[in-house]
């Protein structure tokens, strides 16, 4: 689209002999670089003037879509906009330039940040103690399960190896249990998407009374639903001698509304990068602090050197402080209001498989009118034409045409109304001009990529076809 005069690759802009800078004259006399260290051929680097380089990279950056460009309703992702002040705080040289091995008395400020963050997390979740060591959500799950395993072992309960995981759980839950050397048993969900308590009771009746280590629950669950039966579930699992684990990766709809500690959970993790501000679209860095109820803190294992990802903790603490005690209570209700507003405004044209109030996100099962042949993929691609990032598609796997929408708390009503209008427009186009939707996107630098080919045979480097000196 906007590559204009500029090639797609910096190599294609190269002109022999073109320079972007000149080095000062050598004032140190002649020094012969040993021939064995010299290259035999030219490096084949692009030769460009400075302005071409600046324009090339500026134009490239504009081809990408980010939350700073526009609405980004990706589901199962929680916060997407990270306030700029959090970045500034994490970049303060007094924190950024710390070395993990410098004398303890010179890092009092950083230690205070860690301690105060843990205290804030305890207060927000109702847990007794937190460790900041885990590097990610999945790492937090593993850490939490290690705590649970050690707890049982400390009581001589060596046979408690079974972890109950709902079928709607994030894939990391069973994976973490397996890595921890525990066994997994799945419990079904009801058609409304929440845990089937009768199935759980049945399961507990049919296993050895001394085998249950824990039950892992995600709340709100992967469908964005609050698990209303937690009190019954907690009683059943505790009566069987198991501990309750809370996957708090997506805690923001709960902030200020309720606390896992008050619901009877013993161990939990939080994804700081999802709920407390740290850009995480590229896969990291993250932090998955683990909280435990009183009495379990001696079982915290050493899962990382030093203090975990300190820069992520810095951002989280800045985020919590900038909202403060009064405003952090508004995060959960606003995230929930925004999601429900979109859901209710679109459910006459998009299929809503699970009715009722959702938390921070919800799932449509494609367009309501299936006769047009327009799929969720087509809707997602058409959204790009209108300047919106697509929601999460084809996840969760419970439905064939999943479209998972999560607006988050910080979008204005005007932005959300604009998105609703475009979603309705696309539903209308699906009826009147289905080919237009099926061939979208039309306004992006590239159209539909072959995502299977891109995944199976990614080409991520550029090879010079003809080397200049060969
Ligand atoms: C994201 C997520 C995880 C895993 O977190 P990572 O930081 O990606 O390891 C675990 N559980 C749930 C519910 C999640 O959404």
């Amino acid at each position: 689209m906007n590559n204009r005069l500029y090639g797609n690759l910096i190599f294609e802009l190269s002109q022999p002999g073109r320079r972007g800078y000149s080095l000062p004259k050598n004032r140190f006399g002649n020094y012969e670089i040993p021939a064995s260290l010299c290259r035999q051929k030219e490096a084949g680097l692009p030769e460009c003037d400075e302005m071409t380089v600046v324009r090339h990279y500026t134009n490239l950056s504009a081809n990408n879509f980010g939350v700073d460009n526009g609405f980004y309703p990706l589901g199962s992702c929680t916060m997407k906009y990270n306030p700029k002040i959090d970045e500034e705080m994490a970049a303060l040289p007094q924190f950024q330039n710390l070395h993990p091995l410098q004398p303890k008395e010179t890092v009092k400020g950083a230690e205070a940040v860690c301690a105060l963050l843990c205290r804030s997390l305890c207060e927000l979740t109702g847990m007794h103690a937190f460790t900041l060591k885990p590097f990610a959500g999945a790492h937090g799950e593993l850490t939490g399960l290690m705590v649970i395993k050690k707890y049982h072992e400390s009581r001589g309960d060596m046979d408690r190896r079974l972890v109950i995981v709902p079928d709607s759980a994030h894939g990391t839950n069973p994976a973490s249990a397996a890595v921890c050397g525990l066994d997994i048993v799945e419990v079904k969900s009801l058609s409304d998407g929440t845990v089937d308590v009768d199935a759980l009771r049945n399961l507990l009746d049919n296993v050895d009374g001394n085998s249950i280590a824990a039950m892992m629950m995600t709340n709100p669950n992967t469908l964005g639903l609050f698990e209303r039966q937690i009190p019954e579930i907690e009683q059943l699992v505790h009566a069987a001698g198991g501990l309750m684990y809370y996957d708090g990766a997506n805690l923001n709809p709960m902030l200020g509304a309720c606390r896992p500690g008050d619901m009877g959970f013993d161990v939990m993790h939080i994804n700081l990068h999802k709920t407390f501000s740290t850009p995480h679209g590229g896969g990291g860095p993250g932090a998955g602090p683990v909280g435990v109820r009183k009495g379990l803190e001696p079982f915290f294992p050493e899962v990382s050197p030093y203090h975990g990802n300190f820069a992520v903790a810095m951002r989280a603490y800045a985020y919590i402080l900038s909202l403060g005690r009064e405003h952090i209570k508004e995060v959960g209700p606003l995230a929930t209001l925004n999601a429900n507003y979109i859901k209710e405004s679109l459910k006459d044209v998009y299929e809503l498989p699970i009715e009722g109030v959702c938390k921070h996100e919800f799932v449509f099962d494609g367009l309501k009118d299936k006769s047009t042949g327009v799929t969720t993929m087509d809707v997602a691609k058409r959204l790009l034409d209108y300047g919106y990032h697509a929601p999460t598609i084809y996840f969760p796997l419970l439905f064939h045409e999943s479209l998972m929408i999560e607006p988050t708390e910080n979008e204005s009503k005007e932005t959300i109304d604009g998105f609703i209008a475009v979603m309705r427009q696309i539903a209308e186009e699906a009826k009147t001009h289905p080919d237009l939707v099926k061939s979208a996107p039309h306004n992006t630098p590239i159209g539909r990529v072959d995502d299977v080919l891109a995944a199976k045979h990614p080409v991520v480097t550029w090879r010079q076809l003809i080397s200049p000196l060969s």
Side-chain angles (χ1 to χ4, degrees), residues 41 465-470:
K41 287 196 283 198
L465 294 179
I466 309 160
S467 168
L469 295 183
S470 62

Side-chain angles (χ1 to χ4, degrees), residues 204-381:
L204 290 171
D205 284 345
N206 285 297
V207 294
D208 176 353
N210 290 323
S211 64
I212 302 294
M215 169 147 183
M216 299 180 86
M217 286 192 77
T218 305
N219 191 44
N221 69 18
T222 304
L223 288 167
L225 304 171
F226 194 98
E227 294 279 359
R228 288 160 196 272
Q229 310 272 34
I230 284 174
E232 280 100 315
I233 295 172
E234 176 261 317
Q235 277 180 10
L236 286 171
V237 173
H238 279 146
L243 296 188
M244 289 293 287
Y245 185 94
Y246 192 101
D247 180 335
N250 311 295
L251 204 67
N252 68 339
M254 300 305 173
L255 291 179
C258 57
R259 309 192 306 169
D262 300 337
M263 298 178 213
F265 285 89
D266 305 288
V267 181
M268 72 175 297
H269 81 268
I270 296 177
N271 280 16
L272 291 187
H273 48 293
K274 283 185 184 168
T275 301
F276 296 97
S277 176
T278 277
H280 64 283
V290 169
V292 294
R293 71 160 161 74
K294 199 170 166 67
L296 291 177
E297 66 279 11
F299 302 114
F300 276 143
E302 284 295 313
V303 292
S304 70
Y306 314 116
H307 294 278
N309 270 335
F310 176 69
V312 178
M314 266 307 295
R315 290 182 178 90
Y317 189 54
Y319 179 69
I320 290 171
L321 278 192
S322 64
L323 285 175
R325 193 181 290 276
E326 21 356 329
H327 298 301
I328 208 156
K329 293 197 189 92
E330 293 163 23
V331 171
L334 278 176
T336 302
L337 177 65
N338 282 351
N340 281 282
Y341 178 53
I342 297 177
K343 170 170 65 68
E344 293 302 313
S345 305
L346 290 175
K347 69 177 188 183
D348 59 324
V349 281
Y350 290 86
E351 185 74 41
L352 181 64
I354 297 180
E355 282 273 358
V357 178
C358 63
K359 299 304 285 184
H360 59 310
E361 62 189 354
F362 64 93
V363 185
F364 281 135
D365 189 9
L367 281 160
K368 198 157 202 168
D369 181 355
K370 302 278 188 245
S371 71
T372 64
V374 170
T375 64
T376 278
M377 178 66 87
D378 302 327
V379 172
K381 296 291 183 191

Side-chain angles (χ1 to χ4, degrees), residues 47-277:
E47 300 179 81
C48 299
D49 57 280
E50 176 174 323
M51 191 133 215
T52 299
V53 172
V54 169
R55 286 184 182 150
H56 174 70
Y57 285 108
T58 304
N59 283 316
L60 262 190
S61 75
N63 280 346
N64 208 354
F65 189 98
V67 75
D68 290 354
N69 298 96
F71 188 48
Y72 206 115
L74 206 62
S76 199
C77 185
T78 58
M79 84 184 297
K80 285 158 273 275
Y81 179 71
N82 301 287
K84 302 300 176 219
I85 189 169
D86 305 337
E87 294 301 313
E88 282 174 34
M89 293 302 109
L92 287 175
Q94 296 89 330
F95 291 115
Q96 196 181 35
N97 298 336
L98 291 177
H99 190 282
L101 291 180
Q102 73 188 64
K104 226 171 147 41
E105 58 277 14
T106 65
V107 294
K108 293 282 176 220
E111 283 182 348
V113 166
C114 292
L116 289 166
L117 173 60
C118 285
R119 206 165 84 188
S120 305
L121 296 179
C122 285
E123 199 164 320
L124 286 165
T125 59
M127 289 286 154
H128 174 71
F130 263 87
T131 169
L132 299 180
K133 291 206 161 222
F135 285 131
H139 200 200
E141 291 167 26
L142 174 63
T143 307
L145 290 167
M146 287 164 86
V147 168
I148 291 172
K149 201 173 165 193
K150 273 205 210 160
Y151 162 78
H152 289 309
E153 286 170 5
S154 77
R155 296 158 47 96
D157 245 351
M158 301 308 196
D159 295 331
R160 294 197 174 271
R161 315 177 42 81
L162 217 49
V163 178
I164 306 169
V165 178
D167 61 2
S168 65
H170 200 274
T172 51
N173 286 192
S176 302
V179 170
C180 197
L182 298 165
D183 301 322
I184 299 119
V185 56
E186 201 174 82
V187 62
K188 288 210 165 16
S189 297
L190 294 167
S191 58
D192 73 357
T194 59
V195 170
D196 183 341
V197 181
D198 288 333
L200 175 66
R201 197 175 285 117
N202 207 14
L203 188 157
L204 290 171
D205 284 345
N206 285 297
V207 294
D208 176 353
N210 290 323
S211 64
I212 302 294
M215 169 147 183
M216 299 180 86
M217 286 192 77
T218 305
N219 191 44
N221 69 18
T222 304
L223 288 167
L225 304 171
F226 194 98
E227 294 279 359
R228 288 160 196 272
Q229 310 272 34
I230 284 174
E232 280 100 315
I233 295 172
E234 176 261 317
Q235 277 180 10
L236 286 171
V237 173
H238 279 146
L243 296 188
M244 289 293 287
Y245 185 94
Y246 192 101
D247 180 335
N250 311 295
L251 204 67
N252 68 339
M254 300 305 173
L255 291 179
C258 57
R259 309 192 306 169
D262 300 337
M263 298 178 213
F265 285 89
D266 305 288
V267 181
M268 72 175 297
H269 81 268
I270 296 177
N271 280 16
L272 291 187
H273 48 293
K274 283 185 184 168
T275 301
F276 296 97
S277 176

